[in-house]
């Protein structure tokens, strides 16, 4: 027997095995759902179908954590994001450990070594080193400086998710002014993630209205709207942003700048939604069940709200989820280039401004960690969006 | 039904119906071609009768049916509908509101029950929709009673009314669609190929159901569209054969099958699949040669001549008229130059 045939046999056996397991799992699912499937509304079907998408489920978990982190930033961050220790500028991250090499023993509770500042006699450069003689044990729910959760007066507390007693913990190092990078990233999530959500919310409203008008009424209106969309899409984004942010008065308060940035991003974002909505309207207009309702005497409103919108807003939501990353990236890019939000605002893009200088990056590579968060956030939105898109049409294989 | 033919009262009379689709190009909407989907079609349907409209795909059957409820706006012609009180109205000149009211009395059953039911509504919502929209019923209780009654009528279990369409098979879905059509108590049902999207094994059930409903709901009239003759053989009182927008033969069912007068009818009879498998084995199956003529660019003379085995010179040059060849008791008409000479093959 040749190697090849043995290999093929093995492969077949493996395939048969996994195939059997797969069908068994499906049977179980059907068994569980039988008796429910007939009564399942479109949302239940979408949920079931989405739940079968393992990667999307995992991404949804990560996304939930990111959002919880953003919402409860004051609690999750061990320090005030604006508190700084000038002496400890660009101090490196402390590594959480369970094993102490000096003592040669394991601990059940993770700990970090405190960082001490030193001075290199030869180069005159400030250096930081771990002080191995002391351990700072990481504890959950420690008391720290007081804060007001989401700036709501009666939610005042000093309880933090984690921290150390008698010392400082800086899991992701300090920035160029000695502020705890992790705390800043946690707070940055607020702006960076909410820009995405608010941006798609605005895109959604504009997109559905414009796309709906375009697809439902057609004719000249349709042509005009389509040309506008093409024109907007043809504008290169960076120059457009630059032009728009030049128009942004320097004395504007933070909140107004924030909304302005969201608006800039939405101006581009709605075109994609409008395209999807228009296409769906066009194809649904000729769908038999819509025609049937029209012949039943349903009004335009009833056709749109009861027949057409429910048939495609799952697609639109999936599409919007896939649109979030470009919003987040847009905010990051704008702020990074100094065109969007500026310090003292904290967003992932603003944090990355610190990483603009090669010298800083060489000495303090941890300043790129906000980029990792951007990357992870974008991936999760993409995975979740993919799962939603596959689940958005629950009638394809039930 | 055959026995009320002597008391025949027309419910719909179509006269010279035309529907031309113009295809346009460019921003200026210049007409680049005209599809004569329905071209001078006339027929009468009597109350309680089933008229079958048969022809290959693309012959204009759907368009004809849809013109009758103004789902498609006719280009020309009259469609006289006699109201409950016997007075005729011309459907083509009705106001929007009147058309709405008309559509409660003339209902459409779509071809594909998979696309004609909204997957996001329960069976109850689907069937009750025409009642609710037209305010024909008050209160959820009354609506549920009516829907249950309708479901029983189409032989479905009323306890299934809160399920979604995806829980049903094709045949069951078509029953649901029929129940929706029957909801506002129509007088006239246009069934557009109601079984051609269904599995052969369930076609007969749906056909029988339609027949049964006609018995039960006295006076219910059908325009039954089909693309093959075997489906309408036991279903229809009369059959109109359509080819490229025109009716080429119209006769009583039995007469048409035993003694076809148009070569196209003969070809359709020969091509019809035999529903009885024992007979099917002994019969040789003929497949219709060639394609349906392009309605945007039809041939000269008789549209059927390129596919007709009996075509002669005159067929290429002159279009035959639809002539009355029947007796006053058994009217029939045909559009063929040689209808009286050819002796065509039918079946018993
Ligand atoms: N909305 C439309 N626009 C343009 N052409 C159409 C339209 N509807 C039907 N047609 C054309 O009219 C002809 C008849 O179509 P149809 O009535 O659907 O035929 P059938 O139901 O017999 O298959 C076909 O050639 C078709 O392409
Ligand atoms: Mg058709």
């Amino acid at each position: 027997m040749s190697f090849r045939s043995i290999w093929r046999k093995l492969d077949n056996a493996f395939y048969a095995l996994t195939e059997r397991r797969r069908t068994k799992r499906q049977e179980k699912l059907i068994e569980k759902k039988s008796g429910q499937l007939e009564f399942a509304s479109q949302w239940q079907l979408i949920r079931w179908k989405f739940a079968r998408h393992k990667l999307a489920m995992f991404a949804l978990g990560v996304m939930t954590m990111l959002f919880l982190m953003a919402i409860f930033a004051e609690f999750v961050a061990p320090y005030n994001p604006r508190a700084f220790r000038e002496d400890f500028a660009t101090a490196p991250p402390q590594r959480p450990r369970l094993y102490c090499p000096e003592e040669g023993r394991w601990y059940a509770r993770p700990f970090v070594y405190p960082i001490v500042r030193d001075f290199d006699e030869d180069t005159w450069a400030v250096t930081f080193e771990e002080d191995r003689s002391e351990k700072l044990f990481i504890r959950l729910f420690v008391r720290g400086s007081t804060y007001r959760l989401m700036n709501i007066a009666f939610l005042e507390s000093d309880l933090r998710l984690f921290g150390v007693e008698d010392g400082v913990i800086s899991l992701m190092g300090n920035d160029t002014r000695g502020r705890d990078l992790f705390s800043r990233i946690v707070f940055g999530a607020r702006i960076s993630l909410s820009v995405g959500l608010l941006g798609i919310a605005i895109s959604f409203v504009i997109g559905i209205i414009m796309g709906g008008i375009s697809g439902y009424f057609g004719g000249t209106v349709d042509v005009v709207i389509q040309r506008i969309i093409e024109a907007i899409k043809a504008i290169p984004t960076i120059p457009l942003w630059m032009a728009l942010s030049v128009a942004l008065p320097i004395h504007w308060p933070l909140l107004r700048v924030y909304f302005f940035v969201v608006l800039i991003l939405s101006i581009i974002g709605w075109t994609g939604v409008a395209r999807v909505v228009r296409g769906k309207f066009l194809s649904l207009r000729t769908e038999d069940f819509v025609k049937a309702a029209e012949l039943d005497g349903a009004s335009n409103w009833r056709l749109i709200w009861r027949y057409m919108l429910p048939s495609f807003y799952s697609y639109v939501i999936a599409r919007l989820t896939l649109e979030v990353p470009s919003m987040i990236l847009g905010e990051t890019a704008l702020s990074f280039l100094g065109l969007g939000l500026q310090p003292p605002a904290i967003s992932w893009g603003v944090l990355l401004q610190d990483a603009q200088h090669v010298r800083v990056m060489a000495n303090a590579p941890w300043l790129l960690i906000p980029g990792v968060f951007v990357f992870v956030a974008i991936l999760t939105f993409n995975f979740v969006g993919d799962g939603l898109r596959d689940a958005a049409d629950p009638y394809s294989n039930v | 039904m055959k026995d009320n033919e002597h008391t025949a009262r027309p419910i719909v009379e179509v006269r010279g119906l035309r529907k031309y689709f113009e295809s346009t190009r460019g921003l200026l909407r210049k007409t680049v071609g005209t599809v004569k989907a329905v071209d001078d079609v006339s027929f009468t349907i009597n109350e309680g009768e089933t008229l079958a409209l048969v022809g290959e795909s693309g012959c204009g059957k759907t368009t004809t049916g849809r013109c009758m409820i103004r789902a498609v706006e006719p280009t020309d012609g009259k469609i006289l509908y006699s109201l409950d009180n016997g007075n005729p109205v011309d459907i083509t000149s009705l106001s929007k509101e009147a058309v709405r009211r008309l559509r409660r009395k003339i209902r459409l059953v779509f071809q594909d029950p998979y696309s004609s039911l909204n997957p996001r509504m329960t069976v109850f919502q689907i069937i009750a929709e025409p009642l609710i929209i037209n305010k024909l019923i008050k209160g959820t209780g009354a609506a549920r009673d009516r829907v249950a009654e309708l479901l029983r009528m189409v032989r479905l279990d009323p306890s299934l009314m809160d399920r979604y369409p995806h829980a049903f098979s094709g045949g069951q879905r078509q029953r649901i669609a029929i129940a929706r059509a029957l909801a506002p108590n129509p007088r006239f049902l246009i069934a557009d190929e109601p079984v051609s999207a269904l599995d052969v094994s369930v076609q007969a059930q749906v056909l029988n159901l339609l027949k049964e409903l006609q018995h039960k709901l006295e006076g219910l009239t059908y325009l039954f569209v089909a693309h093959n003759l075997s489906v309408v053989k036991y279903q229809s009182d009369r059959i109109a054969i359509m080819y490229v927008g025109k009716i080429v033969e119209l006769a009583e069912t039995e007469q048409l099958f035993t003694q076809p007068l148009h070569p196209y009818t003969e070809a359709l009879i020969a091509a019809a699949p035999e529903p009885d498998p024992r007979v099917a084995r002994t019969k040789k199956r003929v497949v219709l040669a060639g394609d349906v003529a392009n309605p945007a660019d039809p041939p000269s003379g008789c549209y059927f001549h390129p596919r007709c085995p009996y075509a002669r010179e005159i067929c290429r040059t002159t279009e035959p008229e639809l002539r009355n060849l029947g007796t006053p008791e058994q009217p029939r008409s045909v559009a063929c130059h040689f209808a009286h000479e050819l002796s065509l093959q039918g079946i018993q």
Side-chain angles (χ1 to χ4, degrees), chain B residues 299-306 308 310-320 336-338:
Chain B
S300 62
C302 173
Y303 288 174
F304 190 59
H305 87 255
C308 182
Y310 314 103
R312 289 183 226 167
E313 191 47 41
I314 186 175
C315 302
R316 270 177 272 279
T317 54
T318 316
E319 198 184 316
C336 175
H337 293 298
F338 304 105

Side-chain angles (χ1 to χ4, degrees), chain A residues 73-89:
Chain A
E74 288 88 352
F75 170 68
V76 175
Y79 302 106
N80 184 325
R82 301 205 163 82
F84 58 89
R85 295 185 299 151
E86 203 75 72
D87 294 347
F88 285 85

Side-chain angles (χ1 to χ4, degrees), chain B residues 225-287:
Chain B
V225 173
H227 66 251
N228 88 50
L229 273 170
S230 63
V231 167
V232 298
K233 195 167 172 185
Y234 305 104
Q235 208 70 24
S236 56
D237 299 308
R238 290 183 301 140
I239 298 177
I241 305 287
M242 206 170 172
Y243 190 71
V244 197
K246 290 175 189 290
I247 287 181
V248 293
E249 181 163 10
L250 203 167
E252 280 180 12
T253 303
E254 204 184 320
Q255 219 178 16
L256 188 109
F257 272 99
T258 53
Q259 204 188 85
L261 289 183
H262 197 285
Y264 184 54
T265 313
E266 183 191 41
L268 283 178
I269 292 172
E274 175 56 55
D276 187 343
R278 276 163 307 175
V279 185
R281 238 176 287 135
T282 62
K283 206 183 104 180
K284 78 174 198 300
R285 180 90 191 272
V286 186
V287 180

